[in-house]
Amino acid sequence: MSGDRLSVTSLGKRFGQNVVLSDISFTLPAGESLSIIGPSGCGKSTLLAIIAGLTEAGEGTAFLPSSWKTAFILQDYGLFPWKTVRDNLALPLELRGVGRTERSAAVAAMLKELGLEGLEQRFPVQLSGGQRQRVAIGRALISRPDLLLMDEPFAALDAITREHLQNLLLSVWQRRRMSFMLVTHNVAEAVFLGRHIMVMGGKPATEKLWLDNPCFGDASCRNSDAYFSLIRSVHEALEEAESRPSAEALA
C-alpha cells in the first residue's frame, strides 16, 4: 500500500437545513492512525459514516484507494445476539463466500490473537463487556481491512478494561499496520492511540486543531513534557470549540 492514503477534501454535510460539517480536509497515509475528538454532537460520527460509505457527503470528497477494504466498530459492539462468538467472527467471511475450511482456520487464529479461546460457543449475553468488544474487534479484523473505523469503541467499559483493550488494539496494529481512525471523548485515549490527533468543534463542525503525536503508542511517554504539552493543547482546543458561538448564532 506504499503511497496510498485516505484523502478528505473540503468535506461538508447537511441534514435538511442543519449544516453538520463544513470544510473538513486532511490526509491519512497508509498504516497510520488518527484520533478524532470534539464535543458531543459536533459531527465526528457523521464524518466516519461518510468515510465508510454509509452516508453521502454533501460537499467535497472522501477518497479511499480502490484496493482498500474498510471495517467499522460501533460503540454498542453490533454483535448478533443469536450467534455464538465463533459465528459472529465468521460472518464477514461467510458473506464474502469464503469456504468453511478457510473460515474455520481464520476464526481459530482470531480467537487466539485476541485471547478468546474457550469462548467460541458462548453467546454475546454470556460475555463481559470487554469480551464482547474483543469479539467486535475480531469480527472487524478478520477480513484484514486496510482501514479500521471505530466510533467510541471503549466508552462503555471500565477504566482497567478500557486500558487493556487500548493496548490490545495497539498490539494488533503493530502486527498488521492497517490504518485506523478512532472517535473518542477521552483525551488520554486520543493521545495514546492517535499518530495524528484532530480536534473538531463548532456548528457546523470544522477542524480546530491538527497535531502530529510523538507519543503515539508509547506508554513511557506519559510522564514526559511532550505528553503533557499534547494534553494541554487538546484540552485548550476543546475548550475553545465548546465556548465559541456557532455560525447560526453569529448570523
Side-chain angles (χ1 to χ4, degrees):
M1 296 194 304
S2 176
D4 289 347
R5 63 187 59 227
L6 163 67
S7 297
V8 174
T9 306
S10 302
L11 196 68
K13 178 66 177 178
R14 70 170 62 227
F15 295 100
Q17 297 301 311
N18 182 28
V19 182
V20 179
L21 300 173
S22 176
D23 198 28
I24 302 289
S25 297
F26 64 88
T27 60
L28 183 66
E32 297 200 358
S33 67
L34 171 63
S35 292
I36 303 172
I37 191 167
S40 296
C42 76
K44 303 182 296 298
S45 297
T46 300
L47 175 60
L48 284 195
I50 292 171
I51 292 170
L54 300 177
T55 189
E56 294 184 356
E59 300 173 350
T61 59
F63 171 79
L64 280 75
S66 59
S67 62
W68 278 25
K69 295 181 292 184
T70 62
F72 210 141
I73 300 175
L74 303 171
Q75 182 178 345
D76 63 357
Y77 316 124
L79 302 178
F80 291 101
W82 60 88
K83 288 183 176 290
T84 64
V85 167
R86 177 181 295 279
D87 290 341
N88 266 290
L89 288 174
L91 183 60
L93 301 181
E94 185 178 351
L95 292 174
R96 288 174 50 202
V98 175
R100 183 183 299 273
T101 300
E102 187 178 346
R103 290 202 311 267
S104 295
V107 168
M110 187 58 65
L111 289 166
K112 182 176 181 180
E113 183 172 13
L114 298 183
L116 292 168
E117 291 173 300
L119 302 178
E120 52 266 41
Q121 296 303 323
R122 294 190 184 182
F123 292 91
V125 71
Q126 298 172 304
L127 303 176
S128 68
Q131 289 168 338
R132 289 196 294 270
Q133 194 57 285
R134 276 188 281 166
V135 177
I137 291 171
R139 190 176 64 179
L141 293 176
I142 202 163
S143 296
R144 295 195 168 272
D146 303 283
L147 176 63
L148 180 62
L149 304 169
M150 294 171 285
D151 191 359
E152 297 191 68
F154 311 133
L157 303 174
D158 64 84
I160 294 174
T161 303
R162 185 173 192 150
E163 184 173 341
H164 174 74
L165 288 181
Q166 290 169 358
N167 288 325
L168 175 65
L169 175 63
L170 183 63
S171 68
V172 170
W173 174 83
Q174 289 169 337
R175 291 190 294 273
R176 300 191 177 208
R177 296 290 171 165
M178 71 284 185
S179 304
F180 70 84
M181 293 175 59
L182 170 78
V183 163
T184 180
H185 284 101
N186 186 293
V187 175
E189 182 170 85
V191 172
F192 183 58
L193 291 176
R195 173 66 183 84
H196 311 281
I197 302 166
M198 181 170 69
V199 179
M200 292 174 57
K203 293 184 179 181
T206 60
E207 177 191 322
K208 299 301 183 184
L209 180 70
W210 180 278
L211 292 170
D212 294 322
N213 178 10
C215 288
F216 163 59
D218 184 359
S220 66
C221 189
R222 288 177 174 170
N223 292 319
S224 70
D225 290 341
Y227 175 80
F228 290 114
S229 177
L230 284 165
I231 293 290
R232 282 194 300 271
S233 295
V234 174
H235 274 296
E236 288 170 359
L238 285 172
E239 290 172 3
E240 179 185 357
E242 291 175 340
S243 63
R244 180 175 293 179
S246 68
E248 291 87 346
L250 294 173

